[in-house]
Amino acid sequence: FKSTFNEYIVCYCNNIKLQDVVEVVKNSNKENLTKEEIFNILNLTESKNCLYNNPVGECCDKLFTNAIEFAYKQKKQ
């Protein structure tokens, strides 16, 4: 559906894209960043309107977990 990973939306409530997560991980010295830490780094407050904002009506926790894992793999390359 999407041609590049900077188009993948990880969090619809805050419009966080996969590229945003990759950049945070790339610029961090910390191992195993959490969703909450990424929100803090991006100066965002987590919104819980997933039922209305996310097209599948689910929380973005799973997407964030996958995005963080992907970002660390990208960082190692």
Coordinates of all heavy atoms in Angstrom, one line a residue:
F1 N 0.8 -1.2 0.0 CA 0.0 0.0 0.0 C 0.9 1.3 0.0 O 0.5 2.2 -0.6 CB -0.9 0.0 1.2 CG -2.0 -0.9 1.1 CD1 -1.8 -2.3 1.0 CD2 -3.3 -0.5 1.2 CE1 -2.9 -3.2 1.0 CE2 -4.4 -1.3 1.1 CZ -4.2 -2.7 1.0
K2 N 1.9 1.2 0.7 CA 2.8 2.4 0.9 C 4.1 2.1 0.2 O 4.7 1.1 0.4 CB 2.9 2.8 2.3 CG 1.6 3.2 2.9 CD 1.6 3.4 4.4 CE 0.3 3.8 4.9 NZ -0.7 2.8 5.0
S3 N 4.7 3.1 -0.5 CA 5.9 2.8 -1.2 C 7.2 3.0 -0.4 O 8.2 2.4 -0.7 CB 5.9 3.7 -2.5 OG 5.9 5.1 -2.1
T4 N 7.1 3.9 0.6 CA 8.3 4.1 1.4 C 7.9 4.0 2.9 O 6.8 4.4 3.3 CB 9.0 5.4 1.1 OG1 8.1 6.5 1.4 CG2 9.5 5.5 -0.3
F5 N 8.9 3.6 3.7 CA 8.6 3.5 5.1 C 8.3 4.8 5.9 O 7.8 4.8 7.0 CB 9.6 2.6 5.9 CG 10.9 3.1 6.2 CD1 11.2 4.0 7.2 CD2 12.0 2.7 5.4 CE1 12.4 4.5 7.5 CE2 13.3 3.2 5.6 CZ 13.5 4.1 6.7
N6 N 8.7 5.9 5.3 CA 8.3 7.2 5.9 C 6.8 7.5 5.8 O 6.4 8.5 6.4 CB 9.2 8.3 5.4 CG 9.0 8.7 3.9 OD1 8.4 7.9 3.2 ND2 9.5 9.8 3.5
E7 N 6.1 6.7 5.0 CA 4.7 6.9 4.9 C 3.9 6.1 5.9 O 2.7 6.3 6.0 CB 4.2 6.6 3.5 CG 4.8 7.5 2.4 CD 4.4 7.1 1.0 OE1 3.4 6.3 0.8 OE2 5.1 7.5 0.1
Y8 N 4.5 5.1 6.5 CA 3.8 4.2 7.4 C 3.5 5.0 8.7 O 4.3 5.5 9.3 CB 4.6 3.0 7.8 CG 4.7 2.0 6.7 CD1 5.8 2.0 5.8 CD2 3.7 1.0 6.5 CE1 6.0 1.0 4.8 CE2 3.8 0.1 5.5 CZ 5.0 0.1 4.6 OH 5.1 -0.8 3.7
I9 N 2.2 5.0 9.0 CA 1.8 5.7 10.3 C 1.8 4.7 11.4 O 1.2 3.6 11.3 CB 0.4 6.3 10.1 CG1 0.5 7.4 9.0 CG2 -0.1 6.9 11.5 CD1 -0.9 8.0 8.7
V10 N 2.5 5.0 12.5 CA 2.6 4.1 13.6 C 1.5 4.5 14.6 O 0.9 3.7 15.3 CB 4.0 4.3 14.3 CG1 4.1 3.4 15.6 CG2 5.1 3.8 13.3
C11 N 1.3 5.9 14.8 CA 0.3 6.4 15.8 C -0.6 7.4 15.0 O -0.1 8.5 14.7 CB 1.0 7.0 17.0 SG -0.1 7.8 18.1
Y12 N -1.8 7.0 14.8 CA -2.7 7.9 14.1 C -3.2 9.1 15.0 O -3.4 10.2 14.5 CB -4.0 7.1 13.7 CG -3.7 6.3 12.5 CD1 -3.2 5.0 12.6 CD2 -3.9 6.7 11.2 CE1 -3.0 4.2 11.5 CE2 -3.7 6.0 10.1 CZ -3.2 4.7 10.3 OH -3.0 3.9 9.2
C13 N -3.2 8.9 16.3 CA -3.6 10.0 17.2 C -2.6 11.2 17.2 O -3.0 12.3 17.3 CB -3.8 9.5 18.6 SG -5.1 8.3 18.8
N14 N -1.3 10.9 17.0 CA -0.3 11.9 17.1 C 0.4 12.0 15.8 O 1.4 12.7 15.7 CB 0.7 11.6 18.2 CG 0.1 11.8 19.5 OD1 -0.2 12.9 20.0 ND2 -0.2 10.6 20.2
N15 N 0.0 11.3 14.7 CA 0.6 11.4 13.4 C 2.1 11.1 13.4 O 2.9 11.8 12.8 CB 0.3 12.7 12.7 CG 0.6 12.6 11.2 OD1 0.4 11.6 10.6 ND2 1.0 13.7 10.6
I16 N 2.4 10.0 14.2 CA 3.8 9.6 14.2 C 4.0 8.5 13.2 O 3.3 7.6 13.1 CB 4.2 9.0 15.6 CG1 4.0 10.0 16.7 CG2 5.6 8.4 15.6 CD1 4.1 9.5 18.1
K17 N 5.0 8.8 12.3 CA 5.3 7.9 11.2 C 6.5 7.0 11.6 O 7.3 7.3 12.5 CB 5.6 8.7 10.0 CG 4.4 9.5 9.5 CD 4.7 10.2 8.2 CE 3.4 10.8 7.6 NZ 2.8 11.8 8.4
L18 N 6.7 5.9 10.9 CA 7.8 5.0 11.1 C 9.1 5.7 11.0 O 10.0 5.5 11.8 CB 7.7 3.8 10.1 CG 8.8 2.8 10.2 CD1 8.9 2.2 11.6 CD2 8.6 1.7 9.2
Q19 N 9.2 6.7 10.1 CA 10.5 7.4 9.9 C 10.8 8.2 11.2 O 12.0 8.3 11.6 CB 10.4 8.4 8.7 CG 11.6 9.2 8.5 CD 12.8 8.4 8.2 OE1 12.7 7.4 7.4 NE2 14.0 8.8 8.7
D20 N 9.8 8.7 11.9 CA 10.0 9.4 13.1 C 10.6 8.5 14.2 O 11.6 8.9 14.9 CB 8.7 10.0 13.7 CG 8.0 11.0 12.7 OD1 8.7 11.7 12.0 OD2 6.8 11.0 12.7
V21 N 10.1 7.3 14.3 CA 10.6 6.3 15.2 C 12.1 6.0 14.9 O 12.9 5.9 15.7 CB 9.7 5.1 15.3 CG1 10.3 4.0 16.3 CG2 8.3 5.5 15.8
V22 N 12.3 5.7 13.6 CA 13.7 5.4 13.1 C 14.6 6.5 13.5 O 15.8 6.3 14.0 CB 13.7 5.1 11.6 CG1 15.1 5.0 11.1 CG2 12.9 3.8 11.3
E23 N 14.3 7.8 13.3 CA 15.1 8.9 13.6 C 15.4 9.0 15.1 O 16.6 9.3 15.5 CB 14.5 10.2 13.1 CG 14.6 10.4 11.6 CD 16.0 10.4 11.0 OE1 16.9 11.0 11.6 OE2 16.3 9.7 10.0
V24 N 14.4 8.8 15.9 CA 14.6 8.8 17.4 C 15.6 7.8 17.8 O 16.5 8.0 18.6 CB 13.3 8.7 18.1 CG1 13.5 8.5 19.6 CG2 12.4 9.9 17.9
V25 N 15.4 6.6 17.3 CA 16.3 5.4 17.7 C 17.7 5.7 17.2 O 18.7 5.5 17.9 CB 15.7 4.1 17.2 CG1 16.7 3.0 17.3 CG2 14.4 3.7 17.9
K26 N 17.8 6.2 16.0 CA 19.1 6.4 15.4 C 19.9 7.5 16.1 O 21.1 7.3 16.3 CB 18.9 6.9 13.9 CG 20.2 7.1 13.1 CD 19.9 7.4 11.7 CE 19.9 8.9 11.5 NZ 19.7 9.2 10.1
N27 N 19.2 8.4 16.7 CA 19.9 9.5 17.4 C 20.0 9.3 18.9 O 20.4 10.2 19.6 CB 19.2 10.9 17.1 CG 19.3 11.3 15.7 OD1 20.4 11.2 15.1 ND2 18.2 11.7 15.1
S28 N 19.6 8.1 19.4 CA 19.6 7.8 20.8 C 20.7 6.8 21.1 O 21.0 5.9 20.3 CB 18.3 7.2 21.2 OG 18.4 6.8 22.5
N29 N 21.4 7.0 22.2 CA 22.4 6.0 22.7 C 21.8 4.9 23.5 O 22.5 4.0 23.9 CB 23.5 6.8 23.4 CG 24.3 7.7 22.6 OD1 24.5 7.4 21.4 ND2 24.7 8.8 23.1
K30 N 20.5 5.1 23.8 CA 19.9 4.1 24.7 C 19.4 2.9 24.0 O 18.9 3.0 22.9 CB 18.6 4.8 25.4 CG 18.0 3.9 26.4 CD 17.0 4.7 27.2 CE 16.5 3.7 28.2 NZ 15.4 4.1 29.0
E31 N 19.6 1.7 24.6 CA 19.1 0.5 24.0 C 17.6 0.3 24.5 O 17.3 0.7 25.6 CB 19.9 -0.7 24.6 CG 21.4 -0.7 24.1 CD 21.5 -1.2 22.7 OE1 20.7 -2.0 22.2 OE2 22.4 -0.7 22.0
N32 N 16.8 -0.3 23.7 CA 15.5 -0.7 24.0 C 14.6 0.5 24.5 O 14.0 0.5 25.5 CB 15.5 -1.8 25.1 CG 16.2 -3.0 24.7 OD1 16.1 -3.4 23.5 ND2 17.0 -3.5 25.6
L33 N 14.5 1.5 23.6 CA 13.6 2.6 23.9 C 12.2 2.1 24.0 O 11.8 1.2 23.3 CB 13.7 3.7 22.8 CG 14.9 4.6 22.9 CD1 15.0 5.4 21.6 CD2 14.8 5.6 24.1
T34 N 11.3 2.7 24.8 CA 9.9 2.4 24.9 C 9.1 3.4 24.2 O 9.5 4.5 23.8 CB 9.5 2.3 26.4 OG1 9.6 3.6 26.9 CG2 10.3 1.4 27.2
K35 N 7.8 3.0 24.0 CA 6.9 3.9 23.4 C 6.8 5.2 24.2 O 6.8 6.3 23.6 CB 5.5 3.2 23.4 CG 4.4 4.1 22.8 CD 3.1 3.3 22.9 CE 1.9 4.1 22.5 NZ 0.6 3.4 22.6
E36 N 6.7 5.1 25.5 CA 6.6 6.3 26.4 C 7.8 7.2 26.2 O 7.7 8.4 26.2 CB 6.4 5.9 27.8 CG 5.1 5.2 28.1 CD 5.0 3.8 27.7 OE1 6.1 3.1 27.4 OE2 3.9 3.3 27.5
E37 N 9.0 6.6 26.1 CA 10.2 7.4 26.0 C 10.3 8.1 24.6 O 10.7 9.2 24.5 CB 11.5 6.5 26.1 CG 11.7 6.0 27.5 CD 12.7 4.9 27.7 OE1 12.8 4.1 26.8 OE2 13.4 4.9 28.7
I38 N 9.8 7.4 23.6 CA 9.7 8.1 22.3 C 8.8 9.2 22.3 O 9.1 10.3 21.7 CB 9.4 7.0 21.2 CG1 10.5 6.1 21.0 CG2 9.0 7.7 19.9 CD1 10.3 4.9 20.1
F39 N 7.6 9.1 22.9 CA 6.7 10.2 23.1 C 7.4 11.4 23.8 O 7.2 12.5 23.4 CB 5.4 9.8 23.9 CG 4.3 9.3 23.0 CD1 4.2 7.9 22.7 CD2 3.4 10.2 22.4 CE1 3.2 7.5 21.9 CE2 2.4 9.7 21.6 CZ 2.3 8.4 21.3
N40 N 8.1 11.1 24.9 CA 8.8 12.2 25.6 C 9.8 12.8 24.7 O 10.0 14.1 24.7 CB 9.5 11.6 26.8 CG 8.5 11.3 27.9 OD1 7.4 11.8 28.0 ND2 8.9 10.4 28.8
I41 N 10.6 12.1 24.0 CA 11.6 12.7 23.1 C 11.0 13.5 22.0 O 11.5 14.6 21.6 CB 12.5 11.5 22.4 CG1 13.4 10.9 23.5 CG2 13.4 12.1 21.3 CD1 14.0 9.6 23.1
L42 N 9.8 13.1 21.5 CA 9.1 13.9 20.5 C 8.3 15.0 21.1 O 7.6 15.7 20.3 CB 8.2 13.0 19.6 CG 9.0 11.9 18.8 CD1 8.0 11.0 18.1 CD2 9.8 12.6 17.7
N43 N 8.3 15.2 22.4 CA 7.5 16.2 23.1 C 6.1 16.1 22.8 O 5.4 17.1 22.6 CB 8.0 17.6 22.8 CG 9.4 17.8 23.3 OD1 9.8 17.5 24.4 ND2 10.3 18.5 22.5
L44 N 5.6 14.8 22.9 CA 4.1 14.6 22.7 C 3.5 13.9 23.9 O 4.2 13.2 24.6 CB 4.0 13.7 21.5 CG 4.4 14.2 20.1 CD1 4.4 13.1 19.1 CD2 3.5 15.3 19.7
T45 N 2.3 14.1 24.0 CA 1.5 13.5 25.1 C 0.6 12.4 24.4 O -0.1 12.7 23.4 CB 0.6 14.4 25.8 OG1 1.4 15.5 26.4 CG2 -0.2 13.8 26.9
E46 N 0.7 11.2 24.9 CA 0.0 10.1 24.3 C -1.5 10.3 24.4 O -2.1 10.6 25.5 CB 0.3 8.8 24.9 CG -0.3 7.6 24.2 CD 0.2 6.3 24.8 OE1 1.0 6.3 25.7 OE2 -0.2 5.2 24.3
S47 N -2.2 10.2 23.3 CA -3.6 10.4 23.2 C -4.2 9.0 23.1 O -3.7 8.1 22.4 CB -4.0 11.2 22.0 OG -5.4 11.2 21.8
K48 N -5.3 8.8 23.7 CA -6.0 7.4 23.6 C -7.3 7.5 22.8 O -8.3 7.0 23.3 CB -6.3 6.9 25.1 CG -5.0 6.6 25.9 CD -4.3 5.4 25.3 CE -3.2 5.0 26.2 NZ -2.6 3.8 25.8
N49 N -7.2 8.1 21.7 CA -8.4 8.2 20.8 C -8.3 7.2 19.7 O -8.8 7.4 18.6 CB -8.6 9.6 20.3 CG -8.9 10.6 21.3 OD1 -9.7 10.3 22.2 ND2 -8.4 11.8 21.3
C50 N -7.7 6.1 19.9 CA -7.4 5.1 18.9 C -8.7 4.6 18.2 O -8.8 4.3 17.0 CB -6.7 3.9 19.4 SG -5.1 4.4 20.1
L51 N -9.8 4.4 19.0 CA -11.0 3.9 18.5 C -11.5 4.8 17.4 O -12.1 4.3 16.4 CB -12.1 3.9 19.6 CG -13.4 3.3 19.3 CD1 -13.4 1.9 18.8 CD2 -14.4 3.4 20.5
Y52 N -11.3 6.1 17.5 CA -11.8 7.0 16.5 C -10.7 7.4 15.4 O -11.0 7.6 14.3 CB -12.2 8.3 17.1 CG -13.3 8.0 18.2 CD1 -13.0 8.1 19.5 CD2 -14.6 7.7 17.8 CE1 -14.0 7.8 20.5 CE2 -15.6 7.4 18.7 CZ -15.3 7.5 20.1 OH -16.2 7.2 21.0
N53 N -9.4 7.4 15.8 CA -8.4 7.9 14.9 C -7.8 6.8 14.0 O -7.4 7.0 12.9 CB -7.3 8.6 15.6 CG -7.8 9.9 16.2 OD1 -8.6 10.6 15.7 ND2 -7.3 10.2 17.4
N54 N -7.6 5.6 14.6 CA -6.9 4.5 13.9 C -8.0 3.8 13.1 O -9.0 3.4 13.6 CB -6.3 3.5 15.0 CG -5.5 2.5 14.3 OD1 -5.6 2.1 13.2 ND2 -4.5 2.0 15.1
P55 N -7.7 3.6 11.8 CA -8.7 3.0 10.9 C -9.2 1.6 11.4 O -10.3 1.2 11.1 CB -7.9 2.8 9.6 CG -6.9 3.9 9.6 CD -6.5 4.0 11.1
V56 N -8.3 0.9 12.1 CA -8.8 -0.4 12.6 C -9.3 -0.4 14.0 O -9.7 -1.4 14.6 CB -7.6 -1.5 12.5 CG1 -7.2 -1.8 11.1 CG2 -6.4 -1.1 13.3
G57 N -9.3 0.8 14.6 CA -9.9 1.0 15.9 C -9.2 0.4 17.0 O -9.8 0.0 18.0
E58 N -7.9 0.2 16.9 CA -7.1 -0.5 17.9 C -6.0 0.4 18.4 O -5.5 1.3 17.7 CB -6.5 -1.8 17.4 CG -7.5 -2.8 17.0 CD -6.9 -4.1 16.5 OE1 -5.7 -4.2 16.4 OE2 -7.7 -5.0 16.2
C59 N -5.5 0.1 19.6 CA -4.3 0.9 20.1 C -3.1 0.6 19.3 O -2.9 -0.4 18.7 CB -4.1 0.4 21.6 SG -2.8 1.3 22.4
C60 N -2.2 1.6 19.3 CA -1.0 1.5 18.5 C 0.2 0.8 19.1 O 1.3 0.8 18.6 CB -0.5 2.9 18.0 SG -0.1 4.0 19.4
D61 N 0.0 0.2 20.3 CA 1.0 -0.5 21.0 C 1.8 -1.5 20.2 O 3.0 -1.5 20.1 CB 0.5 -1.2 22.3 CG 0.2 -0.2 23.4 OD1 0.6 1.0 23.3 OD2 -0.6 -0.6 24.3
K62 N 1.1 -2.4 19.5 CA 1.7 -3.4 18.6 C 2.5 -2.7 17.5 O 3.6 -3.2 17.2 CB 0.6 -4.3 18.1 CG 1.2 -5.4 17.2 CD 1.4 -6.7 18.0 CE 1.8 -7.8 17.0 NZ 2.8 -8.6 17.4
L63 N 1.9 -1.7 16.9 CA 2.6 -1.0 15.8 C 3.9 -0.4 16.3 O 4.9 -0.4 15.7 CB 1.7 0.1 15.2 CG 0.5 -0.4 14.3 CD1 -0.3 0.8 14.0 CD2 1.0 -1.1 13.1
F64 N 3.8 0.2 17.5 CA 5.0 0.8 18.1 C 6.1 -0.2 18.4 O 7.3 0.0 18.1 CB 4.6 1.6 19.4 CG 4.7 3.1 19.3 CD1 3.6 3.8 19.0 CD2 6.0 3.7 19.4 CE1 3.7 5.2 18.9 CE2 6.1 5.1 19.2 CZ 4.9 5.8 19.0
T65 N 5.7 -1.3 18.9 CA 6.7 -2.4 19.2 C 7.4 -2.8 17.9 O 8.6 -2.9 17.9 CB 6.0 -3.6 19.9 OG1 5.4 -3.2 21.1 CG2 6.9 -4.7 20.1
N66 N 6.6 -3.0 16.9 CA 7.2 -3.4 15.6 C 8.1 -2.3 15.0 O 9.1 -2.6 14.5 CB 6.1 -3.8 14.6 CG 5.4 -5.0 15.0 OD1 5.9 -5.9 15.7 ND2 4.1 -5.2 14.5
A67 N 7.6 -1.1 15.2 CA 8.4 0.1 14.6 C 9.7 0.2 15.4 O 10.8 0.5 14.8 CB 7.6 1.4 14.8
I68 N 9.7 0.0 16.7 CA 11.0 0.1 17.5 C 11.9 -1.0 17.1 O 13.1 -0.7 16.9 CB 10.6 0.1 19.0 CG1 9.9 1.4 19.4 CG2 11.9 0.0 19.8 CD1 9.3 1.4 20.7
E69 N 11.4 -2.2 16.9 CA 12.3 -3.3 16.5 C 12.9 -3.0 15.1 O 14.0 -3.3 14.9 CB 11.5 -4.6 16.5 CG 11.1 -5.1 17.8 CD 10.2 -6.4 17.8 OE1 10.1 -7.0 16.7 OE2 9.7 -6.7 18.8
F70 N 12.1 -2.6 14.2 CA 12.5 -2.2 12.9 C 13.6 -1.1 12.9 O 14.6 -1.2 12.3 CB 11.3 -1.8 12.0 CG 11.7 -1.3 10.7 CD1 11.9 -2.2 9.6 CD2 11.9 0.1 10.4 CE1 12.3 -1.8 8.4 CE2 12.3 0.5 9.1 CZ 12.5 -0.4 8.1
A71 N 13.4 -0.1 13.8 CA 14.3 1.0 13.9 C 15.7 0.5 14.4 O 16.7 1.0 13.9 CB 13.7 2.1 14.8
Y72 N 15.7 -0.4 15.4 CA 17.0 -0.9 15.9 C 17.7 -1.7 14.8 O 18.9 -1.7 14.7 CB 16.8 -1.7 17.2 CG 16.7 -0.7 18.4 CD1 15.6 -0.5 19.0 CD2 17.9 -0.1 18.8 CE1 15.5 0.4 20.1 CE2 17.9 0.8 19.9 CZ 16.7 1.0 20.5 OH 16.7 1.9 21.6
K73 N 16.9 -2.5 14.0 CA 17.5 -3.2 12.9 C 18.2 -2.3 11.9 O 19.2 -2.5 11.4 CB 16.5 -4.1 12.2 CG 16.1 -5.3 13.1 CD 15.1 -6.2 12.4 CE 14.6 -7.3 13.3 NZ 13.5 -8.1 12.7
Q74 N 17.5 -1.2 11.6 CA 18.0 -0.2 10.7 C 19.3 0.5 11.2 O 20.2 0.8 10.5 CB 16.9 0.9 10.4 CG 15.8 0.4 9.6 CD 16.1 0.0 8.2 OE1 16.7 0.7 7.5 NE2 15.7 -1.2 7.9
K75 N 19.3 0.7 12.5 CA 20.4 1.3 13.2 C 21.7 0.5 13.1 O 22.8 1.0 12.9 CB 20.1 1.6 14.6 CG 21.2 2.4 15.4 CD 20.7 2.8 16.8 CE 21.8 3.6 17.5 NZ 21.3 4.0 18.8
K76 N 21.5 -0.8 13.1 CA 22.6 -1.8 13.1 C 23.2 -1.9 11.7 O 24.4 -2.3 11.5 CB 22.2 -3.1 13.6 CG 21.9 -3.2 15.0 CD 21.5 -4.6 15.5 CE 21.2 -4.6 17.0 NZ 20.7 -5.9 17.4
Q77 N 22.5 -1.5 10.7 CA 23.0 -1.6 9.3 C 23.9 -0.5 9.0 O 23.9 0.6 9.4 CB 21.8 -1.6 8.3 CG 21.0 -2.9 8.4 CD 19.8 -2.9 7.4 OE1 19.5 -1.9 6.8 NE2 19.2 -4.0 7.4

